[in-house]
């Protein structure tokens, strides 16, 4: 193959053009980089200083979650600051040293704060947060040693430890999120603005991004992808923080032993024998929940139902467990039965029937929740069930 030799007077022009293209690309990236940094600062200031909820005004999010999420956004903004020298310095030892410092600070600050935010989202019980810092401490020590000695001999051990840590975090979070989901079904009838299963996907993406970063996979495209992931994480954490209802049980703790004021007999028996009260839970549920249709109220919790019927919350929870069901299934089962009665009355009167309207009149606040509960109870969607009922009514009777 014959090589084409460019004239000497044209070579500098091509070189300068290549340098200009590189400079433009770098400037564009720095603009994007700075935009994500500013977005972090805005999100942090919003959570710290705005008292109201601009995203979901009807929801009161946990104050503790807002503060930890604001701290995470502040750490993300600082992360962009301490990585800035890597994009300004020329390639060499100084740039690589800046890369090591940035990585050490990330695993010591950003990663544990992200894990803390995900843990605070789980409101079934207060969890200790200090293990998140202890977990990343070996990585910080190894990173500090690499920076001080300018040696990378321990990096293979750092990689191995980080992979094991990521696997452990995922296993732990899956277990805790499932436990939190069971707690929700045991204590709440409506799960809207309470579930956090999306956090597992966010955690998986975040750990994958950290692994790509640590193993130095990719080039310029990777840098853009990382900034895009950062922007998406800001959006998710901001949305989840503002749309997650405060499920603090502190206000109910002092009320667990309260009884219905109109039932002095039950109060006396509670002082003498808890077994007698457990035997009366079924009739009390029919008297104070099913007959007056208390289940039609939106977002009633197990604690509220316990106060309504005058039973200790723990006894009521144990009652549902002994029946092989959950509080969520019990309430939604009553609501679905109410929905069927409303449908039958409307069909008999030849009135126009709207599934969504009947669902809301049956106590469901969300049509998606109703559809899921109906399918679990009846084995089919409400629309298909109504179609089958219509077909049965149209069949000639023999």
């Amino acid at each position: 193959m014959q090589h084409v030799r460019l004239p000497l007077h044209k070579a500098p022009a091509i070189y300068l053009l290549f340098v200009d293209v590189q400079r433009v690309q770098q400037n564009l990236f720095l603009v994007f980089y700075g935009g994500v940094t500013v977005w972090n600062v805005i999100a942090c200031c919003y959570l710290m200083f705005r008292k109201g909820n601009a995203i979901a005004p009807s929801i009161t999010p946990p104050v503790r979650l807002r503060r930890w999420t604001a701290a995470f956004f502040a750490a993300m903004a600082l992360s962009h600051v301490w990585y800035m020298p890597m994009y300004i310095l020329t390639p060499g030892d100084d740039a690589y040293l800046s890369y090591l410092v940035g990585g050490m600070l990330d695993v010591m600050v950003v990663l544990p704060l992200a894990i803390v935010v995900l843990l605070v989202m789980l409101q079934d019980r207060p969890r200790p947060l200090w293990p998140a810092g202890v977990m990343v401490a070996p990585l910080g020590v190894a990173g500090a040693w690499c920076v001080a000695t300018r040696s990378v001999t321990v990096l293979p051990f750092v990689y191995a430890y980080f992979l094991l840590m990521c696997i452990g975090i995922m296993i732990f979070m899956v277990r805790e999120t499932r436990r939190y989901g069971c707690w929700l079904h045991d204590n709440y009838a409506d799960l809207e603005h309470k579930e956090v299963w999306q956090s597992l996907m966010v955690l998986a993406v975040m750990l994958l991004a950290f692994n790509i970063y640590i193993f130095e996979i990719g080039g310029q495209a990777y840098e853009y992808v990382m900034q895009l992931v950062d922007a998406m994480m800001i959006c998710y954490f901001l949305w989840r923080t503002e749309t997650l209802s405060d499920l603090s049980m502190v206000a109910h703790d002092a009320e667990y032993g309260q009884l219905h004021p109109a039932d002095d007999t039950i109060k006396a028996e509670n002082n003498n024998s808890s077994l007698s009260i457990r035997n009366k839970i079924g009739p009390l549920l029919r008297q104070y929940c099913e007959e007056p249709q208390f289940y039609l109220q939106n977002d009633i919790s197990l604690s509220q139902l316990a106060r309504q019927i005058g039973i200790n919350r723990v006894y009521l929870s144990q009652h549902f467990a002994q029946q092989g069901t959950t509080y969520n299934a019990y309430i939604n089962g009553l609501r679905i039965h109410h929905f069927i009665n409303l449908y039958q009355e409307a069909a008999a009167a030849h009135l126009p029937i709207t599934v969504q309207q009947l669902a809301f009149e049956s106590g469901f606040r969300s049509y998606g929740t109703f559809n899921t509960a109906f399918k679990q109870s009846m084995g089919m969607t409400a629309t298909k069930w109504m179609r089958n009922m219509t077909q049965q009514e149209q069949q000639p009777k023999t």
Side-chain angles (χ1 to χ4, degrees):
M1 179 181 294
Q2 185 177 5
H3 296 279
V4 178
R5 186 180 298 275
L6 293 174
L8 293 177
H9 67 280
K10 293 184 178 181
I14 295 177
Y15 173 76
L16 291 176
L17 179 61
F18 175 74
V19 172
D20 289 339
V21 170
Q22 277 192 321
R23 186 177 295 112
V24 170
Q25 290 178 345
Q26 184 179 21
N27 290 337
L28 287 175
F29 174 75
L30 289 177
V31 170
F32 188 32
Y33 190 87
V36 176
T37 306
V38 173
W39 180 215
N40 273 292
V41 173
I42 292 174
C44 174
C45 293
Y46 166 79
L47 292 179
M48 285 295 295
F49 302 112
R50 181 181 175 89
K51 295 182 179 180
N53 188 340
I55 298 176
S58 62
I59 297 174
T60 302
V63 176
R64 184 167 176 250
L65 178 60
R66 284 176 63 99
R67 291 173 179 172
W68 278 111
T69 307
F72 171 73
F73 289 150
M76 290 278 283
L78 289 175
S79 173
H80 284 70
V81 172
W82 61 56
Y83 269 116
M84 188 62 70
M86 187 179 70
Y87 299 106
I88 299 176
L89 297 173
T90 57
D93 292 339
D94 291 337
Y96 190 71
L97 181 63
S98 173
Y99 177 83
L100 289 177
V101 172
M104 180 186 68
L105 293 174
D106 267 356
V107 298
M108 289 295 294
V109 180
V110 177
L111 181 59
L113 278 176
I115 296 172
V116 164
V117 171
L118 296 178
L119 286 175
V120 173
M121 288 182 186
L122 307 177
Q123 303 180 69
D124 53 330
R125 61 186 177 88
R127 290 171 173 80
L129 304 179
W130 57 266
V134 174
M135 176 182 58
V136 299
L139 295 175
V141 172
W145 188 88
C146 290
V147 172
T149 62
R150 300 203 175 194
S151 173
V152 294
T153 55
V154 299
L155 285 185
F157 302 99
V158 172
Y159 295 157
Y161 177 83
F162 187 80
L163 285 175
L164 292 175
M165 186 184 70
C166 290
I167 295 173
I169 291 173
M170 283 303 304
I171 293 175
F172 174 78
M173 288 302 301
V174 168
R175 187 190 68 179
E176 293 302 303
T177 304
R178 289 184 53 139
R179 181 179 296 177
Y180 174 71
C182 294
W183 176 79
L184 285 179
H185 282 81
D186 289 337
N187 289 275
Y188 292 92
D190 302 296
L191 303 184
E192 295 86 10
H193 311 302
K194 299 176 181 65
E195 294 183 298
V196 295
W197 57 267
Q198 311 97 329
S199 64
L200 293 177
M201 294 188 295
V202 173
L203 178 61
V205 171
M206 181 181 62
L207 294 180
L208 177 61
F210 264 99
N211 274 281
I212 294 175
Y213 155 74
I214 284 184
F215 287 100
E216 303 178 46
I217 302 174
Q220 187 67 37
Y222 157 77
E223 298 291 345
Y224 278 99
V225 170
M226 284 297 298
Q227 298 310 307
L228 183 60
V229 169
D230 285 351
M232 293 174 62
M233 287 178 60
I234 297 170
C235 294
Y236 169 76
F237 279 117
L238 192 60
W239 167 80
R240 183 70 284 181
T241 298
E242 293 294 79
T243 58
L244 187 65
S245 297
D246 187 358
L247 306 181
S248 175
M249 303 295 289
V250 176
H252 303 302
D253 287 341
E255 301 169 344
Y256 285 173
Q258 286 191 2
L259 303 176
H260 200 281
D263 202 335
D264 295 332
T265 303
I266 297 300
K267 182 177 181 180
E269 290 180 356
N270 181 65
N271 295 329
N272 298 323
S273 175
S274 61
L275 181 60
S276 176
I277 293 181
R278 289 192 180 98
N279 293 334
K280 292 181 178 290
I281 290 180
L284 287 172
L285 284 173
R286 287 189 291 272
Q287 180 182 357
Y288 292 108
C289 178
E290 298 173 17
E291 293 176 2
Q293 298 181 339
F294 181 70
Y295 54 85
L296 295 181
Q297 297 185 24
N298 292 135
D299 211 18
I300 53 175
S301 65
L302 179 72
S303 297
Q304 291 172 321
L305 180 59
R307 293 198 303 273
Q308 172 72 11
I309 68 175
I311 289 296
N312 185 290
R313 175 185 173 276
V314 177
Y315 292 162
L316 183 57
S317 179
Q318 292 173 350
H319 169 78
F320 290 127
Q322 291 170 357
Q323 300 297 317
T325 186
T326 63
Y327 169 72
N328 179 273
Y330 169 73
I331 293 295
N332 286 335
L334 294 175
R335 291 172 173 176
I336 290 172
H337 182 71
H338 188 85
F339 170 88
I340 293 174
N341 289 336
L342 290 179
Y343 167 80
Q344 292 174 343
E345 293 173 1
H350 302 287
L351 298 175
I353 299 174
T354 304
V355 180
Q356 290 88 341
Q357 183 62 33
L358 293 183
F360 296 149
E361 291 178 6
S362 301
F364 289 96
R365 189 171 60 180
S366 165
Y367 180 72
T369 300
F370 159 75
N371 219 17
T372 301
F374 193 94
K375 190 173 182 179
Q376 290 175 348
S377 177
M378 305 298 291
M380 64 184 75
T381 63
T383 304
K384 184 177 180 180
W385 178 84
M386 292 172 60
R387 189 184 307 118
N388 292 345
M389 294 295 295
T390 303
Q391 292 175 355
Q392 291 177 10
E393 292 172 358
Q394 293 176 350
Q395 290 179 355
K397 297 182 180 180
T398 58

